C-alpha cells in the first residue's frame, strides 16, 4: 500500500510539472501589414484581415497599416533593417531579394503546405525560388503585365486593317497613322519591360548569373534597339509623354494610335480603345513580362513568422484570392483560384486580363543585381531614342551594371 502511494504521488507530481505546463495558453501573435493601396484594394485587404482575426481570436491579430506611396520601398527597408518594420508587405520578388543576404526575409517553404506551393503557376514558382540561397522568400498571389491598347477608329481611318501582332506590324501601322494624321503611331510606358521583352523573344540571355554580368550584346539585339531608334527618329514612335507621366493622356488626346501599358491603365482611357496581347518577334520565341506580386514575410521569430504565414495561407485560399484579383483587376498565380466562380466571372468580363498571356510570361531571377539591370535597360532605350548608337548604349549599360555590382 505504501509503495502504491509513492507511485501515485510521483505520477501526480509529474503531471503537475509537465501536464499543466502543456495546457498553458499560447502567447497571442500580432502581425502587421504595411501597404500603399487605396479604395477597393485597401477595403478588401482590411476586410480580409478582419475576417481572419475573427477566426483566430486570442491567437493571432493582423493589423493593416497604410503608408505613403512615395518612398515606400525605402521606408520599409530602413524600418526592417532597424528592427521596427512590418511583418508583411505585398511586393515583387526583386524587392525580397534586397533582404536575403542580410537574413531579413523568412523562408516561406518552412511554413506553407506543399499543396499550396504546388498550386503556383510554373513561372511564378520559378521566380519565387530563384533567390541566391535557393529558398522561397515571396509567395506570388497575383500577376499582371503590359498589353497593347489601340484606337480602332484611328486605325480604320489610317488604313490599318489588322491588329498589330509583331513589332514589324507595329512599325507598319505607325507609318500609316503618321501618313494619315501626321502624329505618332506607337509609344511605350515601361521602356524596361519592352527592352526585356524584345531581348527575351530573340532567345538571348539578359543577365548571366554564372559571371554576374550582362549578356545581351548580340547582333540581333542591336538590330532590335535600332528598330526602336528608327521609329522615334522618323516621328513614328513617341519617346516621352507630352501631357503627363503616362501615355494614357496622349492616347486620350489623339496624339498616339496605340501604346503598350499596364492592364491597370484601362480605367484611365477615355478615347475609343481596344486591347490586344503584347507584340511578338516574327520567328522568335513567344515571351511576355510577368509582373508577379506576392506576400513577403520579414524575419522575426518563428512564432510571428508562423502567424504571418497562417494569414498568408488564408489570403492565398481560392475564394479570398479570387476576391483580391477582382479588387486589383489582376490575374491569379494560383490554379485553385481559377476553379472558383468568382474568378471565372472576372475573366469572362475582362478583355484586358484576357490579353495577358500567362503561358508565355516570365520574369528576371530574384537577385539583387537585377535592379541595376532594369535601370540599365531603361537608360539604354532612352539613349537610343536620343540618337546614341545601339552598340554604344549597350556598352554603357554593361559598364553601369558592372560598376554597381562591384561597389
Amino acid at each position: 500500500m505504501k509503495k502504491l502511494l509513492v507511485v501515485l504521488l510521483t505520477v501526480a507530481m509529474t503531471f503537475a510539472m509537465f501536464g499543466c505546463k502543456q495546457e498553458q495558453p499560447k502567447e497571442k501573435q500580432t502581425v502587421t501589414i504595411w501597404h500603399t493601396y487605396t479604395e477597393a484594394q485597401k477595403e478588401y485587404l482590411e476586410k480580409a484581415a478582419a475576417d481572419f482575426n475573427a477566426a483566430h481570436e486570442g491567437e493571432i491579430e493582423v493589423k493593416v497599416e497604410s503608408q505613403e506611396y512615395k518612398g515606400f520601398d525605402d521606408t520599409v527597408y530602413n524600418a526592417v533593417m532597424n528592427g521596427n518594420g512590418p511583418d508583411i508587405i505585398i511586393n515583387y520578388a526583386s524587392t525580397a531579394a534586397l533582404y536575403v543576404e542580410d537574413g531579413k526575409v523568412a523562408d516561406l517553404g518552412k511554413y506553407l503546405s506543399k499543396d499550396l506551393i504546388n498550386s503556383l503557376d510554373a513561372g511564378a514558382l520559378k521566380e519565387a525560388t530563384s533567390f541566391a540561397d535557393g529558398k522561397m522568400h515571396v509567395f506570388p498571389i497575383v500577376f499582371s503585365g503590359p498589353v497593347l491598347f489601340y484606337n480602332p477608329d484611328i486605325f480604320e481611318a489610317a488604313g490599318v486593317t489588322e491588329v498589330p501582332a509583331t513589332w514589324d506590324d507595329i512599325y507598319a501601322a505607325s507609318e500609316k497613322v503618321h501618313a494619315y494624321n501626321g502624329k505618332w503611331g506607337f509609344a511605350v510606358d515601361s521602356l524596361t519591360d519592352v527592352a526585356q521583352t524584345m531581348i527575351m523573344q530573340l532567345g538571348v540571355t539578359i543577365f548571366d548569373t554564372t559571371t554576374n554580368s550582362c549578356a545581351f550584346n548580340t547582333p540581333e539585339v542591336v538590330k532590335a534597339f535600332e528598330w526602336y531608334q528608327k521609329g522615334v527618329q522618323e516621328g513614328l514612335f513617341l519617346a516621352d509623354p507630352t501631357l503627363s507621366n503616362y501615355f494614357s493622356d496622349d492616347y486620350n488626346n489623339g496624339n498616339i494610335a496605340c501604346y503598350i501599358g499596364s492592364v491597370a491603365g484601362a480605367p484611365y482611357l477615355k478615347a475609343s480603345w481596344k486591347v490586344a496581347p503584347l507584340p511578338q518577334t516574327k520567328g522568335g520565341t513567344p515571351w511576355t513580362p510577368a509582373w508577379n506580386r506576392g506576400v513577403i514575410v520579414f524575419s522575426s521569430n518563428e512564432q510571428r513568422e508562423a502567424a504571418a504565414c497562417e494569414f498568408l495561407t488564408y489570403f492565398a485560399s481560392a475564394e479570398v484570392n479570387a476576391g483580391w484579383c477582382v479588387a486589383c483587376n489582376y490575374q491569379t498565380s494560383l490554379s485553385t483560384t481559377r476553379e472558383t466562380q468568382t474568378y471565372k466571372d472576372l475573366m469572362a468580363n475582362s478583355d484586358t486580363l484576357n490579353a495577358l498571356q500567362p503561358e508565355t510570361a516570365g520574369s528576371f531571377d530574384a537577385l539583387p543585381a537585377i535592379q541595376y539591370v532594369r535601370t540599365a535597360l531603361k537608360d539604354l532605350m532612352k539613349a537610343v531614342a536620343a540618337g546614341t548608337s545601339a552598340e554604344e548604349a549597350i556598352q554603357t549599360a554593361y559598364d553601369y551594371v558592372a560598376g554597381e555590382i562591384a561597389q
Side-chain angles (χ1 to χ4, degrees):
M1 185 67 178
K2 187 174 182 180
K3 290 183 178 180
L4 179 60
L5 288 173
V6 171
V7 171
L8 291 174
L9 286 171
T10 302
V11 170
M13 291 174 64
T14 301
F15 180 78
M17 292 174 61
F18 299 102
C20 292
K21 183 177 181 180
Q22 292 175 346
E23 293 178 357
Q24 290 179 352
K26 295 180 180 180
E27 182 181 353
K28 181 179 177 180
Q29 299 297 318
T30 300
V31 174
T32 304
I33 300 174
W34 283 7
H35 73 94
T36 60
Y37 295 110
T38 59
E39 299 176 351
Q41 294 91 353
K42 178 177 181 290
E43 181 180 344
Y44 189 86
L45 184 58
E46 291 174 345
K47 182 181 183 303
D51 292 345
F52 177 85
N53 290 341
H56 295 78
E57 189 174 0
E59 300 174 356
I60 305 172
E61 181 182 8
V62 175
K63 294 183 177 180
V64 179
E65 299 180 358
S66 298
Q67 303 292 322
E68 289 291 330
Y69 177 82
K70 185 177 181 180
F72 176 72
D73 288 343
D74 289 339
T75 298
V76 172
Y77 186 85
N78 292 331
V80 169
M81 290 303 172
N82 289 323
N84 57 4
D87 296 289
I88 288 176
I89 62 171
I90 299 174
N91 216 309
Y92 300 105
S94 56
T95 300
L98 301 176
Y99 298 88
V100 172
E101 187 175 340
D102 294 304
K104 296 293 186 178
V105 278
D107 175 12
L108 303 181
K110 291 170 51 179
Y111 303 101
L112 304 181
S113 71
K114 289 184 178 180
D115 286 343
L116 180 57
I117 293 174
N118 290 337
S119 69
L120 282 171
D121 292 339
L125 179 60
K126 179 180 181 297
E127 183 182 36
T129 54
S130 65
F131 294 92
D133 61 3
K135 297 177 181 179
M136 177 180 280
H137 296 296
V138 65
F139 189 81
I141 50 176
V142 293
F143 93 94
S144 63
V147 292
L148 179 69
F149 293 108
Y150 67 95
N151 188 315
D153 298 336
I154 295 179
F155 271 7
E156 182 179 359
V160 180
T161 57
E162 295 184 2
V163 179
T166 69
W167 301 108
D168 290 340
D169 292 344
I170 289 287
Y171 197 93
S174 298
E175 285 184 313
K176 291 183 177 180
V177 169
H178 188 67
Y180 162 67
N181 61 14
K183 296 185 178 181
W184 299 276
F186 176 66
V188 176
D189 262 346
S190 175
L191 295 174
T192 297
D193 287 290
V194 168
Q196 179 190 10
T197 298
M198 291 192 297
I199 294 171
M200 294 297 292
Q201 288 179 358
L202 291 168
V204 177
T205 299
I206 295 180
F207 187 77
D208 188 341
T209 56
T210 60
T211 60
N212 213 30
S213 61
C214 294
F216 56 88
N217 191 3
T218 70
E220 296 85 359
V221 173
V222 170
K223 187 177 179 180
F225 287 124
E226 287 176 343
W227 167 89
Y228 179 70
Q229 183 178 63
K230 184 180 178 183
V232 172
Q233 291 180 341
E234 294 186 356
L236 307 180
F237 303 165
L238 180 59
D240 297 298
T242 67
L243 300 174
S244 67
N245 293 325
Y246 297 96
F247 282 108
S248 55
D249 287 329
D250 278 294
Y251 181 91
N252 292 331
N253 201 44
N255 287 338
I256 50 177
C258 69
Y259 79 103
I260 291 175
S262 169
V263 291
Y268 302 99
L269 300 182
K270 309 304 179 185
S272 176
W273 67 273
K274 288 188 177 181
V275 64
L278 212 62
Q280 298 291 322
T281 297
K282 187 176 181 179
T285 302
W287 195 90
T288 59
W291 298 346
N292 297 308
R293 295 192 185 190
V295 174
I296 299 170
V297 176
F298 293 106
S299 297
S300 49
N301 57 63
E302 287 198 357
Q303 290 75 26
R304 274 176 61 191
E305 289 179 10
C309 287
E310 189 75 19
F311 176 76
L312 164 54
T313 298
Y314 167 76
F315 200 57
S317 61
E319 285 294 345
V320 178
N321 181 238
W324 183 239
C325 290
V326 172
C328 297
N329 193 39
Y330 288 157
Q331 280 201 27
T332 185
S333 300
L334 305 170
S335 60
T336 48
T337 300
R338 292 195 183 91
E339 300 302 316
T340 66
Q341 192 59 48
T342 300
Y343 189 76
K344 290 177 181 178
D345 291 343
L346 171 66
M347 293 302 296
N349 294 286
S350 177
D351 291 338
T352 52
L353 292 184
N354 280 293
L356 293 174
Q357 300 166 293
E359 66 278 2
T360 63
S363 58
F364 285 118
D365 288 342
L367 303 171
I370 295 304
Q371 63 179 314
Y372 309 129
V373 177
R374 291 187 62 84
T375 299
L377 291 177
K378 180 179 179 180
D379 291 344
L380 193 165
M381 289 285 279
K382 286 185 173 182
V384 296
T388 302
S389 70
E391 292 92 338
E392 182 181 345
I394 289 174
Q395 187 59 55
T396 300
Y398 271 54
D399 294 342
Y400 166 77
V401 173
E404 292 296 325
I405 291 175
Q407 288 184 6

